[in-house]
């Protein structure tokens, strides 16, 4: 947790404020809210209310949840417009069914993958969070969760629990070819299977890779251990991505990546 001094330092850092504002703007944009009326939004991991400030600017109302008392104290000092709740989202979302028109979360959900206590089970905590969030959201609404996954396994764990809770949707990746600007947004639909928005900066990139949709059906082309089948398109793309992370030169992904060649006689 942050102490008081750290919380204030974090909130007063102009670079942090700018990044939070940009990500909040993008998350609200991905919610696809109606333009003709104000909405009530849930901000998961609201911290000192930087993301809530943007929600208020857009004319919407919000309730923020956070596990850090120090961060919430700073939010109260800053006189944010939203209501605040001190709570661990791993214990669930304690609001009545269908209460919210949408949910955003900036850089918070990946912390549910950590087991800070012996009693903590990341899959159970994630499922508890997603299943209660699904209930608290109005039918036809969305949740957009920006996160920093440590690796692909963590990403799969998070999306699998969201799917198990009833959500459909998928990952929207902005600027996938940039190391610094790359951002992951888990875009989830409640009760309806909407069209997944396009990630920014993906015009020249492979859409299949950067807009991984999921439904309640099992993922095809994966073997028993959950790994992509060797030599399949997914397997090749994963291998190329690993090499890029290692700083190696890799050919760009195209629609021909992983396509079977015709036999030559």
């Amino acid at each position: 947790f942050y102490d008081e001094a750290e919380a204030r330092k974090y909130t007063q850092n102009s670079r942090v404020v700018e990044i939070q504002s940009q990500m909040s703007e993008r998350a609200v944009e991905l919610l696809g809210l109606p333009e003709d009326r104000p909405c009530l939004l849930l901000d998961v991991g609201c911290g000192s209310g930087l993301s809530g400030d943007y929600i208020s600017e857009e004319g919407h109302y919000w309730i923020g949840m956070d596990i850090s008392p120090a961060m919430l104290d700073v939010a109260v000092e800053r006189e944010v417009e939203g209501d605040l709740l001190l709570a661990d989202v791993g214990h669930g979302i304690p609001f009545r069914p269908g209460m919210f028109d949408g949910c955003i979360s900036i850089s918070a959900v990946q912390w549910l993958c950590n087991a800070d206590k012996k009693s903590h089970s990341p899959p159970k905590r994630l499922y508890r969070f997603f299943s209660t969030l699904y209930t608290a959201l109005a039918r036809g609404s969305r949740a957009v969760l920006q996160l920093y996954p440590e690796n692909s396994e963590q990403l799969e764990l998070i999306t699998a629990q969201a799917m198990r809770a009833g959500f459909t949707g998928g990952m929207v990746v902005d600027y996938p070819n940039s190391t610094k600007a790359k951002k992951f947004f888990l875009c989830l639909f409640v009760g309806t299977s909407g069209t997944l928005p396009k990630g920014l900066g993906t015009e020249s990139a492979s859409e299949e890779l950067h807009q991984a949709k999921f439904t309640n059906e099992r993922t095809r082309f994966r073997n028993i251990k959950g790994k992509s089948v060797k030599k399949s398109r997914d397997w090749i793309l994963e291998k190329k991505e690993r090499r890029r992370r290692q700083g190696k030169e890799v050919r760009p992904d195209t629609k021909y990546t992983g396509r079977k060649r015709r036999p030559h006689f």
Side-chain angles (χ1 to χ4, degrees):
F1 296 167
Y2 290 94
D3 61 24
E4 288 285 345
E6 282 177 325
R8 272 196 197 82
K9 196 175 171 184
Y10 179 87
T11 308
Q12 288 162 1
N13 184 313
S14 58
R15 179 82 184 121
V16 168
V17 172
E18 185 191 345
I19 291 169
Q20 284 280 116
S21 178
Q22 285 171 358
M23 292 194 295
S24 306
E25 184 178 349
R26 179 66 172 140
V28 172
E29 180 191 334
L30 289 169
L31 281 179
L33 298 170
E35 292 177 15
D36 55 345
R37 63 178 177 87
C39 296
L40 177 63
L41 304 182
L42 176 65
D43 186 354
V44 169
C46 64
S48 57
L50 294 174
S51 42
D53 287 345
Y54 180 77
I55 295 172
S56 299
E57 279 171 30
E58 290 295 291
H60 300 298
Y61 303 101
W62 59 278
I63 295 174
M65 293 178 70
D66 204 280
I67 197 170
S68 167
M71 281 297 221
L72 292 176
D73 285 346
V74 174
V76 171
E77 272 178 35
R78 293 178 64 246
E79 297 182 345
V80 296
E81 290 183 32
D83 292 318
L84 305 167
L85 175 66
L86 176 66
D88 177 357
V89 295
H91 294 158
I93 305 295
F95 293 101
R96 60 182 172 78
M99 181 167 165
F100 295 99
D101 300 306
C103 166
I104 70 161
S105 177
I106 308 298
S107 319
V109 175
Q110 72 271 4
W111 297 112
L112 288 172
C113 295
N114 297 350
D116 299 323
K117 296 178 183 173
K118 276 187 179 179
S119 59
H120 282 182
S121 159
K124 283 181 183 174
R125 283 169 60 74
L126 281 162
Y127 178 68
R128 178 80 185 149
F129 164 64
F130 282 119
S131 57
T132 51
L133 176 62
Y134 188 92
T135 304
L137 288 167
R139 301 307 87 172
S141 65
R142 294 182 189 181
V144 176
L145 316 172
Q146 183 274 326
L147 48 104
Y148 289 108
E150 276 184 22
N151 48 44
S152 58
E153 286 78 19
Q154 204 175 74
L155 214 51
E156 281 177 25
L157 172 64
I158 293 168
T159 51
Q161 296 307 318
M163 201 174 17
R164 193 177 151 221
F167 285 106
T168 56
M171 195 63 68
V172 174
V173 185
D174 285 354
Y175 307 109
N177 298 324
S178 166
T179 315
K180 283 187 177 178
K182 189 176 186 178
K183 292 287 181 290
F184 291 87
F185 292 88
L186 185 57
C187 191
L188 303 172
F189 304 112
V190 183
T192 56
S193 220
T195 308
L196 201 61
K198 282 193 173 185
L200 300 176
T202 58
E203 290 76 17
S204 60
S206 158
E207 273 190 33
E208 283 179 46
L209 174 63
H210 303 304
Q211 292 189 271
K213 270 198 177 184
F214 62 77
T215 62
N216 286 329
E217 297 164 24
R218 290 185 172 218
T219 312
R220 289 161 58 215
F221 307 123
R222 290 192 173 268
N223 65 17
I224 297 161
K225 290 181 181 173
K227 292 181 181 174
S228 301
V229 176
K230 200 168 184 180
K231 305 287 185 189
S232 68
R233 180 183 167 80
D234 287 343
W235 181 84
I236 292 166
L237 291 170
E238 283 166 17
K239 193 172 180 182
K240 286 173 83 174
E241 190 57 41
R242 275 199 305 276
R243 295 205 167 176
R244 281 193 194 101
R245 285 200 296 268
Q246 290 162 1
K248 292 177 182 171
E249 213 170 289
V250 181
R251 285 187 184 181
D253 302 329
T254 69
K255 63 180 180 180
Y256 302 109
T257 303
R259 185 180 283 190
K260 279 202 163 50
R261 294 173 186 266
R262 287 180 183 170
H264 292 284
F265 295 103

